[in-house]
Amino acid sequence: MATISDVAARAGVSTATVSRALNGKSTVDPALAEKVREAAAYLGYQPNGLARNLRRQETAVLALVISDVENPFFTAIARGVEDVAQTAGYSVVLCNSDENAEKERRYLDVALQERVAGVVLSPTGGDTDVTQLLSRGTPVVAVDRPLNAVDGDQVLVNTRCAADEATRHLIEAGYRRIGCLTGPEGVRTADDRLAGYQSAIAASAQATTCYRRCELRTAHAKAAALDLLDEGDAPDALLIANSTMAIGVLEALRERGIRPGRDFGLVSFDDAPWAALLDPPLTVVAQPAYEIGSIAARLLLDRIADGSRPPEARELAARLIERGSSHR
Amino acid sequence: MATISDVAARAGVSTATVSRALNGKSTVDPALAEKVREAAAYLGYQPNGLARNLRRQETAVLALVISDVENPFFTAIARGVEDVAQTAGYSVVLCNSDENAEKERRYLDVALQERVAGVVLSPTGGDTDVTQLLSRGTPVVAVDRPLNAVDGDQVLVNTRCAADEATRHLIEAGYRRIGCLTGPEGVRTADDRLAGYQSAIAASAQATTCYRRCELRTAHAKAAALDLLDEGDAPDALLIANSTMAIGVLEALRERGIRPGRDFGLVSFDDAPWAALLDPPLTVVAQPAYEIGSIAARLLLDRIADGSRPPEARELAARLIERGSSHR
DNA sequence: TTGAAAGCGCTAACAT
DNA sequence: ATGTTAGCGCTTTCAA
């Protein structure tokens, strides 16, 4: 593959001039520049990004490490990040940590080793270590879940508040024993949603409480839901922490012949594309996923431009969308 | 940030020894190696991947360029690729071309410039240009859709056959005017599905044919479906080319008060996680997405190891899963 | 405006 | 078993 020296030789100039011409520096004679471009085109020259980045000590790529590629919430974030990154001339590479701290660590290492310009991260747990990145000057912005250890940029959703609202909605709809299915302890969104749920329950005279934690996966959610349904004092409504789990719960309900809505109140976090298609349609807490991504990317670019800015924490609001699954 | 020289200085050895020790070369004294590791740990040394790759002329990262991150079919492929790449010590970075040839080109350029070890690509169109990659020695394997211009490795699904089978299924179920909603011309899967549909229709005495093409997006599919439904001679069944479009069709049917199954036969490609939850559940053509990804990754790794192997084209079978939406 | 030359951090010959 | 040294391909002083 052609290198810069090949181009220089063919154009009859030095490599320095080639570099300048191809990078649009103004200090190069237009005629020469043209000659260089021709030579480059002729040879099919593609600059070696590794060498360039090594020299410049910087890269125009952002890493986005998300905890589940198969969750529409995170892919929507990805699109938000991507759209603003693109317009700023950055590429974004997506890494799937799969809710696995070990994989996450590996990808953060890769991000560090490849010297990406910045990282948007939805941490698998609160204790993810990003100090290496930070101390090396690679900015990190957390999305969806905070990084406990560091006081950095982050874009979160006021999910506790939203859980409280959703639970009150179920209470008002007349359900009496409202449960909650949430994620593992230590996952901040899981904890917050549970806390919001519990505060709404506590504020109500009638509703008693029962909840389960499980991994953020369909199969686990299904098992947990079945467990809940087969209990002596089974719930007649459920607040579910995300759409992946909601699928498991819906499978469980179907297996037990329980119809959402009339028999059983259902509210799930995340307005997945299919939520409104169910019968009855699924009531959801819609999170502004795309905005989370776009804001995070903007924060990241701002910090790349100026590392000394004070850390910025944004908290966006979620919105309850009432549909049939939470009405008798 | 600490460099290899810092480590060398602290351990009192040469940089070469540090390199050897840290890369697990057997030719280094265990005691020295230990000293090196200590020094590295003390300094928080992280090798500079750029420098390493520049020197080695290779990278342990694979690029996966997919045409839609929000489509579960592609994210399932991503997991397949990732799982085998991980076990072989490769990282995979995901790039979302978003069915946009321009974005795709940009990402392929990035892949080339960053000198990734290989690329798994689901091309937006058949005329995607990968000759640069190839001529530079970066292997490319196509998934889901073929690359017309080159005779390289690919993992496809016999989608034409599957479309034919699905259409015959609808005919046998007693629907009389069966339509097809497929993607843009030039997208091979869209064309093949249409062709399979048409061959089944042609083989049947009764069923007449009507089809629409539209972009592979929910909103476009909805518009096309409404258009079809409002025609004079509207279809009473539809074969849909993917799950993203299926959502649009389902929205359209709901708007027109048409109930899938009894009133209107429905088969869609791709067994999305929610397909079985609908009422009636959605009949689908399930594609082995995860296997597509894992096989593609294995092919890619094989070719990285030995570039001279003859190109390998795999064709996997899809499987019709009959559910309620295609039964009166 | 252009060229010569240094050097980014690492690995791999080669020499010892 | 270890060190010396060259060089991966590029950008960027520094001189001219």
Side-chain angles (χ1 to χ4, degrees):
Chain A
M1 164 143 239
T3 75
I4 199 173
S5 325
D6 300 328
V7 179
R10 180 150 232 281
V13 297
S14 73
T15 60
T17 302
V18 174
S19 174
R20 286 192 274 253
L22 262 26
N23 288 304
K25 298 273 195 265
S26 52
T27 64
V28 46
D29 185 291
L32 258 194
E34 183 49 32
K35 224 155 106 181
V36 168
R37 272 191 295 275
E38 259 170 32
Y42 176 82
L43 295 167
Y45 170 68
Q46 278 284 347
N48 183 323
L50 296 172
R52 163 180 292 170
N53 296 334
L54 176 58
R55 174 62 228 227
R56 284 202 187 144
Q57 299 280 61
E58 70 180 23
T59 315
V61 355
L62 267 28
L64 169 58
V65 185
I66 61 179
S67 35
D68 183 6
V69 247
E70 300 201 278
N71 184 336
F73 171 66
F74 290 114
T75 55
I77 290 182
R79 304 217 12 159
V81 171
E82 216 165 21
D83 284 353
V84 349
Q86 292 282 354
T87 67
Y90 284 83
S91 305
V92 6
V93 299
L94 218 170
C95 310
N96 177 30
S97 70
D98 210 20
E99 298 290 359
N100 176 332
E102 162 63 16
K103 276 196 192 176
E104 177 181 60
R105 202 192 47 66
R106 199 147 54 202
Y107 277 120
L108 291 178
D109 278 353
V110 171
L112 181 55
Q113 293 189 7
E114 301 295 325
R115 304 297 197 260
V116 300
V119 177
V120 176
L121 167 69
S122 75
T124 57
D127 51 346
T128 298
D129 182 22
V130 295
T131 51
Q132 295 230 42
L133 263 332
L134 259 23
S135 68
R136 199 240 141 221
T138 306
V140 176
V141 2
V143 290
D144 185 48
R145 310 167 190 174
L147 255 11
N148 296 329
V150 295
D151 170 39
D153 297 308
Q154 51 185 229
V155 185
L156 308 179
V157 169
N158 189 337
T159 194
R160 183 182 163 141
C161 195
D164 181 284
E165 181 189 359
T167 308
R168 274 184 294 127
H169 166 65
L170 283 168
I171 295 171
E172 279 157 25
Y175 298 100
R176 290 168 315 161
R177 183 159 165 77
I178 298 165
C180 176
L181 188 55
T182 194
E185 201 164 346
V187 175
R188 179 72 143 263
T189 45
D191 293 343
D192 281 357
R193 284 163 202 182
L194 180 59
Y197 155 81
Q198 285 174 323
S199 76
I201 294 291
S204 120
Q206 46 190 332
T208 55
T209 174
C210 58
Y211 74 90
R212 286 285 184 289
R213 284 184 184 271
C214 70
E215 279 187 44
L216 300 166
R217 306 208 177 274
T218 300
H220 291 252
K222 180 177 178 182
L226 286 173
D227 184 47
L228 225 33
L229 292 173
D230 293 343
E231 257 196 342
D233 197 9
D236 66 348
L238 215 44
L239 175 66
I240 311 165
N242 76 22
S243 68
T244 308
M245 295 171 88
I247 291 176
V249 171
L250 288 160
E251 289 173 357
L253 290 175
R254 162 161 302 187
E255 242 171 57
R256 289 289 176 271
I258 301 171
R259 219 182 113 78
R262 213 157 49 85
D263 305 341
F264 198 95
L266 231 41
V267 179
S268 169
F269 270 77
D270 298 343
D271 190 20
W274 47 265
L277 295 175
L278 298 183
D279 183 30
L282 188 62
T283 294
V284 298
V285 176
Q287 300 192 82
Y290 183 89
E291 283 70 39
I292 294 175
S294 57
I295 292 174
R298 210 163 322 266
L299 247 38
L300 189 57
L301 294 176
D302 287 353
R303 179 156 306 283
I304 289 171
D306 171 14
S308 68
R309 299 166 57 254
E312 203 163 322
R314 297 280 186 87
E315 187 167 73
L316 309 183
R319 175 173 117 258
L320 182 69
I321 303 180
E322 298 185 20
R323 296 199 269 241
S325 72
S326 59
H327 294 282
R328 290 171 172 283
Chain B
M1 165 145 238
T3 74
I4 199 172
S5 325
D6 300 329
V7 179
R10 180 151 233 279
V13 297
S14 73
T15 60
T17 301
V18 174
S19 174
R20 285 191 275 252
L22 261 26
N23 288 305
K25 299 273 194 263
S26 52
T27 63
V28 46
D29 185 289
L32 258 196
E34 183 49 32
K35 224 154 110 181
V36 168
R37 273 191 294 275
E38 258 170 30
Y42 177 80
L43 295 167
Y45 170 69
Q46 278 285 345
N48 184 325
L50 296 172
R52 163 180 295 171
N53 297 335
L54 176 58
R55 173 63 230 230
R56 284 201 188 146
Q57 298 281 63
E58 69 179 25
T59 314
V61 355
L62 266 27
L64 169 58
V65 184
I66 61 179
S67 33
D68 183 6
V69 248
E70 300 201 276
N71 184 335
F73 171 67
F74 290 114
T75 55
I77 290 181
R79 301 216 14 158
V81 172
E82 215 164 20
D83 285 354
V84 348
Q86 292 283 353
T87 67
Y90 284 82
S91 305
V92 8
V93 299
L94 219 169
C95 309
N96 177 31
S97 70
D98 208 20
E99 297 291 359
N100 175 333
E102 162 64 16
K103 275 196 192 176
E104 176 181 63
R105 202 194 46 67
R106 199 149 54 203
Y107 278 120
L108 292 178
D109 278 354
V110 171
L112 181 55
Q113 294 189 6
E114 303 295 326
R115 302 298 194 262
V116 300
V119 176
V120 177
L121 167 69
S122 74
T124 58
D127 50 345
T128 297
D129 181 23
V130 296
T131 51
Q132 296 232 39
L133 263 332
L134 259 24
S135 68
R136 199 242 143 220
T138 306
V140 175
V141 3
V143 290
D144 184 48
R145 310 167 190 175
L147 255 11
N148 295 330
V150 295
D151 169 39
D153 297 308
Q154 50 186 226
V155 185
L156 308 179
V157 168
N158 190 338
T159 194
R160 185 183 160 140
C161 195
D164 181 284
E165 181 188 359
T167 308
R168 274 185 293 124
H169 167 65
L170 283 168
I171 295 171
E172 279 158 24
Y175 298 99
R176 290 168 316 160
R177 184 160 163 77
I178 298 164
C180 176
L181 188 55
T182 194
E185 201 165 345
V187 174
R188 178 71 144 262
T189 46
D191 293 344
D192 280 358
R193 284 163 203 183
L194 180 60
Y197 154 81
Q198 285 174 324
S199 76
I201 294 291
S204 121
Q206 44 188 337
T208 55
T209 172
C210 59
Y211 73 90
R212 286 285 185 288
R213 286 183 182 271
C214 70
E215 281 187 42
L216 299 165
R217 305 207 179 276
T218 299
H220 290 251
K222 181 177 178 183
L226 287 173
D227 184 44
L228 225 34
L229 292 173
D230 294 343
E231 256 194 344
D233 197 7
D236 66 349
L238 214 46
L239 175 66
I240 311 165
N242 76 23
S243 68
T244 308
M245 296 170 89
I247 290 176
V249 171
L250 288 160
E251 288 173 357
L253 290 174
R254 164 160 301 187
E255 241 171 58
R256 289 288 176 271
I258 300 171
R259 220 183 113 79
R262 211 157 50 87
D263 304 341
F264 197 96
L266 229 42
V267 179
S268 170
F269 270 77
D270 298 341
D271 191 20
W274 47 265
L277 295 175
L278 297 184
D279 181 31
L282 189 61
T283 294
V284 298
V285 176
Q287 299 192 83
Y290 183 90
E291 283 70 39
I292 294 175
S294 57
I295 292 174
R298 205 156 335 258
L299 247 39
L300 189 58
L301 294 175
D302 288 350
R303 181 156 304 284
I304 289 171
D306 172 14
S308 69
R309 299 166 57 255
E312 203 163 323
R314 297 279 185 88
E315 188 166 72
L316 309 182
R319 174 173 118 261
L320 182 67
I321 303 181
E322 298 185 21
R323 296 200 269 242
S325 72
S326 60
H327 295 282
R328 290 169 170 283

